[in-house]
Amino acid sequence: MQKTELIGLSKQELADEVAKIGEKPFRAKQLWQWIYFRGETDFEKMTNLSKDLRAKLAENFSITRPKIVTEQISKDKTHKWLLEFADGQRIETVYIPEEDRGAVCISTQVGCAVGCRFCHTGSQKITRNLSAGEIVAQFMVARDAYGEWPSPTNETRYLSNIVVMGMGEPLHNPDNVFKALKILSDGDGIAISKRKITLSTSGIAPKIGLVAKELGCKLAISLHAPNNEKRSQIMPINNRYPIEEVLKGCQEYQSQMSPGRYVTFEYLMLKDFNDSPEDAKELISLMKKYKLGAKFNLIPFNPWPGCDYQPSSNNKVRAFSEILEAAGYEAPVRVARGQDILAACGQLKSKKEVVLNKKEP
């Protein structure tokens, strides 16, 4: 008999599964806490359940993590896992630590259909969407590694944030992504605050408003150019959803969120392509035209084997930031992390040509 995997089920789905084996609804609540608050994978260790019930659960259900194929830890302590699912497909997940907190960068697809010219992941064609359980399990693997079970009930947790900007385009897989993030933010389990979850999209315009309606989390847009001509050169998705439609989607998002919630625009600094003072001024004009509360996240380009683009100089990046900030927009320059293990922005790819600093699990 094939067992039902419990990770990734909603609360109602979990209750339905418990009912199928003749148990009462409160058992689902107990299971939810064991799985998502305590991180337990062994039914035999669920000590507030009877021995007979534990045996019944083990007979019918499973609680599994993806296989850790390799781990890599950067000299700056960025931690990357190559994970393999039951069907043999693989993705990468990254944890970026700070002094007293950190963000887990989660993937949503095997490969990516968007095909951004500057992105290593985009050079790996799309294979399939990840299920809600496969998305949730990535964070649980990171929790296992850093011993953050049971879920911390105060602000001392080091795995404090989630950024959905790993492999794949999350709004090409919205049902599973939204379901997973609702599980991860549920207060009875892992309990990551919605204000500490950021969904990053290349700009699937019709679905941007759903991020507010379904999740209420933070929104980041991979913009990377100030006009359609340049953006289409590096992001083919712009031919389907041009900047104007993307920014209208951002307006819809902001209209549903609390006052003052801004949209973060990710902007990759590419040498002699999108890094001029004129480009910065054009960005400012766009934000003013659409009356958006905006913050810019300027990203130094992280080279990868076979890519034609080069990073902007530090002087150009600083000058670009100063122009945006003079116009009243926050424009910090992101510090590149994990470059030595290809774990930085745009470098993830599950079919790696080279594995550096390999650590066997």
Side-chain angles (χ1 to χ4, degrees), residues 268-306:
L268 191 66
M269 302 296 294
L270 299 173
K271 182 180 179 181
D272 299 330
F273 178 77
N274 63 356
D275 59 354
S276 71
E278 290 72 27
D279 291 321
K281 291 171 184 176
E282 197 168 355
L283 282 176
I284 293 166
S285 296
L286 271 178
M287 296 303 112
K288 290 184 176 179
K289 178 180 178 180
Y290 288 90
K291 299 179 180 179
L292 288 169
K295 170 185 174 181
F296 291 94
N297 194 357
L298 304 184
I299 307 171
F301 177 57
N302 301 302
W304 47 271

Side-chain angles (χ1 to χ4, degrees), residues 127-142:
T127 300
R128 67 170 175 85
N129 288 333
L130 297 186
S131 69
E134 290 169 334
I135 296 168
V136 171
Q138 294 173 62
F139 187 82
M140 300 177 89
V141 166

Side-chain angles (χ1 to χ4, degrees), residues 201-209 219 221 223 228 231 237-253 265 286 289-290 292:
T201 173
S202 61
I204 313 303
K207 296 178 181 177
I208 291 174
L219 174 68
I221 301 290
L223 190 60
N228 286 318
R231 194 168 190 258
I237 194 72
N238 195 71
N239 294 316
R240 184 169 183 183
Y241 302 116
I243 288 176
E244 294 81 7
E245 291 187 29
V246 173
L247 297 186
K248 286 177 183 177
C250 293
Q251 287 178 324
E252 182 183 354
Y253 167 85
F265 289 96
L286 271 178
K289 178 180 178 180
Y290 288 90
L292 288 169

